[in-house]
Amino acid sequence: MTNELLNELTFFVLAVFVGIEVISKVPTMLHTPLMSGTNAIHGIILVGALFIAAGANSPVTVILGFLAVVLATTNVVGGFVVTDRMLEMFKGRQAAAKTAETANIK
Amino acid sequence: MTTLYALAYLLAAILFILGLRQLSSPRTARNGNYTAAAGMVIALGATVPQLHFTGAGAVIVLVGVLVGASVGTIGARQVKMTAIPQMVALFNGAGGGAAALVAVSELLTFGSHPPINEALPSVFSIVIGSVSFAGSLVAFAKLQELMTGTPITYPGQQLVNGLIAAAIIGFVIAVLAIASIPFSFLSLMVLALILGVAFVLPIGGADMPVVISLLNAFTGLAVAASGFTLNNFALIVAGTLVGASGSLLTKLMSDAMGRSLRNVLFGAFGQVRTTAGAAAGKEGRSVRTSSIEDLATLLAYSRRVIIVPGYGLAVAQAQHAVRELADLLEKKGVEVDYAIHPVAGRMPGHMNVLLAEANVPYEQLKEMDEINDEFKDADVVLVVGANDVVNPAARTSPGSPIFGMPILNADEAKNIVFLKRSMRPGFAGIDNDLLYDPKTIMLFGDAKDSLTKLVNAVKAA
């Protein structure tokens, strides 16, 4: 096994544990936004799509590269925008909750 | 210079992790999304200087990014809040498709005999990415009601799916061990696309959130596998993070529905359904209806009213009308709360978002555990466009596909009022005995219309 592959495996295994640990306490009402947020993060495949498309030198690779870039960009941009729209709705709730808190203090 | 790029990818990975952490808490969630987006910008920024463009490459990258960014922005901005779950499915499918295409292109560059440590992760990425792509499209079609939301089953289905999966495995072994046929990876992709469709078809529309979450995790793993092929740490770390957190989230979601993941995925829904439908013997049962005025009087002279909002409320865009009714009742001294089932709407948290949009006060939204003991003290439960989440079959009939799902105890209230378009069963496709209960009053029609009429009648009462 090459050193590089070994490094990659190490990163992979550590990332599995971090991924599980970091979201383990999410409340139900955030399930949908969290799913949407992680959905945007795997749009990182755009990095791979860019490498493939930039070096395209045959009709087949041009078609594959173009489709990959379109799909990956849609995933990244759409993913982050739609997550933000969902979370925007929570702002109103927090404001309301805060007003309620201050009212109680008074 | 390469060190600099590697450091940028590391920074991006850190921002993704912090972003996920922030996304798991209501207070910081919105910033979490920005943090993750910043990570994405850094990763992409570090990628562009590393690219060696061919003439055609420069054109397709430029045009591709413009097209993708426009589609993504317009799609995400234009979509109605009610249709957000299926939009997420589409974006997820796009990512899965991209991962598969990247792996295919990368393998083609190796010619007929790719080294095994490149070929193995690529083949994995092709299969999983394609399953995710096709599965997401089916999930989209089911949620958008382009096709039936009820499970599609046929005799020998498990066998057929098993055969497709076996064919894929056989193909993979042949490709890796014996020889590489030109374009064999494209055929592999087609087989995996078929598997993706076959995998989601037998799963009911009500379970789509769990399926989308699972396919989301799949896409993450496909992206990580592409990272192994391209030797790119950003892809490995980000893809694996999504794969791992997505898997856990999938489990949390099916837990919230009181079901095991295996039960959701492998046909239990479809198979039990027929027996439950037959056993119900619903022929000839009658329901009670009432005039708007009588209902208005009932509501106006109650002490305590609990509103159970469901997807029907969202479809009718009735969240503002329901709030108007609640405000009016409160002015008359009625205590009003909203009982939010964890999977009300189409996805966990969906209903909270919709009601927040209508400025329903935060403290009136009660989670299921918080309010379930209070139903017995309620004079009226007003069920607006919900059905499965108050179906007592989940508690009482072990043969029912939703048996075991935690439900709102609406049946314990003194009166139950259903605002519904018809007697049509809910999204899970199961009949609801509560509709025929002597304590239940049905008010048929569009939720928004009915609520507006009720508001006027309550004003007069």
Side-chain angles (χ1 to χ4, degrees):
Chain A
M1 202 186 273
T2 62
N3 250 344
E4 180 157 36
L5 189 58
L6 208 58
N7 280 340
E8 288 174 355
L9 270 180
T10 312
F11 270 79
F12 173 77
V13 172
L14 292 179
V16 168
F17 284 100
V18 174
I20 290 174
E21 193 53 43
V22 82
I23 66 138
S24 56
K25 292 195 186 78
V26 61
T28 320
M29 68 172 185
L30 280 177
H31 281 181
T32 303
L34 178 64
M35 171 165 81
S36 182
T38 55
N39 175 42
I41 291 176
H42 67 50
I44 188 86
I45 189 63
L46 179 55
V47 167
L50 287 176
F51 277 117
I52 295 295
N57 51 11
S58 70
V60 177
T61 47
V62 165
I63 294 171
L64 291 177
F66 177 68
L67 286 177
V69 171
V70 171
L71 289 175
T73 314
T74 308
N75 184 184
V76 173
V77 176
F80 281 118
V81 174
V82 88
T83 310
D84 191 52
R85 268 193 72 195
M86 273 184 234
L87 292 170
E88 199 177 22
M89 297 302 165
F90 284 85
K91 197 179 55 184
R93 297 182 39 146
Q94 283 157 20
K98 251 181 218 156
T99 350
E101 270 168 34
T102 32
N104 284 342
I105 292 164
K106 279 173 196 168
Chain B
M1 216 43 195
T2 30
T3 321
L4 194 62
Y5 299 139
L7 284 175
Y9 285 153
L10 179 61
L11 181 59
I14 293 171
L15 289 174
F16 289 148
I17 294 170
L18 291 178
L20 282 179
R21 161 143 294 163
Q22 291 174 313
L23 270 168
S24 341
S25 155
R27 223 164 29 81
T28 53
R30 202 171 180 201
N31 286 332
N33 192 41
Y34 296 141
T35 307
M40 188 63 70
V41 170
I42 289 172
L44 291 172
T47 302
V48 173
Q50 299 179 63
L51 301 174
H52 305 290
F53 286 102
T54 61
V59 176
I60 57 172
V61 164
L62 197 65
V63 178
V65 166
L66 284 177
V67 171
S70 322
V71 172
T73 313
I74 294 170
R77 286 245 163 264
Q78 298 294 315
V79 64
K80 287 197 195 116
M81 290 309 284
T82 46
I84 275 187
Q86 50 266 49
M87 205 68 215
V88 175
L90 275 190
F91 292 145
N92 176 57
L101 292 174
V102 166
V104 169
S105 323
E106 183 67 9
L107 275 182
L108 289 176
T109 62
F110 286 105
S112 58
H113 283 282
I116 185 89
N117 61 334
E118 301 286 343
L120 193 63
S122 301
V123 165
F124 180 85
S125 180
I126 292 171
V127 173
I128 301 295
S130 304
V131 166
S132 178
F133 176 76
S136 297
L137 288 188
V138 177
F140 169 80
K142 288 201 176 205
L143 287 172
Q144 190 70 26
E145 294 176 3
L146 298 176
M147 61 184 286
T148 169
T150 50
I152 296 178
T153 51
Y154 52 86
Q157 188 164 25
Q158 303 284 26
L159 185 71
V160 172
N161 289 0
L163 283 178
I164 303 174
I168 289 178
I169 294 171
F171 208 81
V172 167
I173 293 172
V175 165
L176 291 181
I178 305 163
S180 295
I181 320 138
F183 294 101
S184 57
F185 305 112
L186 292 176
S187 345
L188 190 59
M189 202 167 160
V190 172
L191 270 179
L193 290 173
I194 297 173
L195 181 65
V197 174
F199 169 64
V200 181
L201 277 184
I203 304 173
D207 286 334
M208 279 308 119
V210 181
V211 172
I212 297 172
S213 176
L214 182 72
L215 294 175
N216 184 41
F218 276 14
T219 305
L221 290 177
V223 169
S226 295
F228 277 92
T229 315
L230 296 167
N231 296 317
N232 185 300
F233 283 106
L235 292 190
I236 296 178
V237 174
T240 311
L241 279 176
V242 176
S245 60
S247 304
L248 176 63
L249 187 58
T250 310
K251 187 185 171 299
L252 293 177
M253 277 192 186
S254 43
D255 285 353
M257 298 168 76
R259 315 245 313 277
S260 75
L261 187 57
R262 180 197 293 255
N263 178 279
V264 171
L265 295 182
F266 295 110
F269 230 85
Q271 282 156 10
V272 192
R273 223 185 129 254
T274 33
T275 51
K282 54 188 177 282
E283 304 304 316
R285 284 196 290 177
S286 61
V287 296
R288 194 153 69 104
T289 56
S290 161
S291 73
I292 295 272
E293 288 70 27
D294 285 350
L295 275 184
T297 315
L298 177 67
L299 285 170
Y301 291 94
S302 298
R303 275 179 306 109
R304 183 149 165 71
V305 171
I306 298 177
I307 299 174
V308 177
Y311 187 67
L313 173 137
V315 171
Q317 295 289 317
Q319 58 267 48
H320 297 279
V322 83
R323 188 185 152 231
E324 202 183 333
L325 179 65
D327 286 353
L328 197 59
L329 290 174
E330 291 225 298
K331 265 190 218 132
K332 291 189 179 275
V334 184
E335 193 186 337
V336 183
D337 282 310
Y338 296 79
I340 313 288
H341 190 273
V343 295
R346 284 285 152 92
M347 287 199 156
H350 195 188
M351 195 51 64
N352 303 62
V353 170
L354 289 171
L355 289 174
E357 189 191 12
N359 293 319
V360 170
Y362 173 67
E363 57 273 23
Q364 284 185 0
L365 299 178
K366 299 277 173 67
E367 306 259 328
M368 180 170 64
D369 296 339
E370 203 181 333
I371 202 162
N372 245 354
D373 291 335
E374 300 176 21
F375 276 101
K376 57 182 184 300
D377 304 321
D379 299 296
V380 182
V381 172
L382 191 63
V383 184
V384 187
N387 192 352
D388 298 327
V389 296
V390 294
N391 190 342
R395 246 189 272 126
T396 55
S397 103
S400 169
I402 59 166
F403 183 70
M405 179 172 96
I407 56 160
L408 294 164
N409 298 331
D411 54 330
E412 292 178 358
K414 298 188 186 80
N415 294 281
I416 304 129
V417 177
F418 272 92
L419 301 192
K420 245 172 114 13
R421 269 179 302 180
S422 65
M423 290 301 287
R424 217 164 63 105
F427 208 45
I430 320 147
D431 215 28
N432 187 349
D433 277 342
L434 191 57
L435 301 181
Y436 306 97
D437 193 287
K439 290 189 296 185
T440 298
I441 303 168
M442 301 295 300
L443 184 58
F444 293 113
D446 176 78
K448 195 175 177 181
D449 274 1
S450 302
L451 284 166
T452 316
K453 284 183 200 151
L454 268 177
V455 166
N456 292 332
V458 170
K459 275 181 192 155

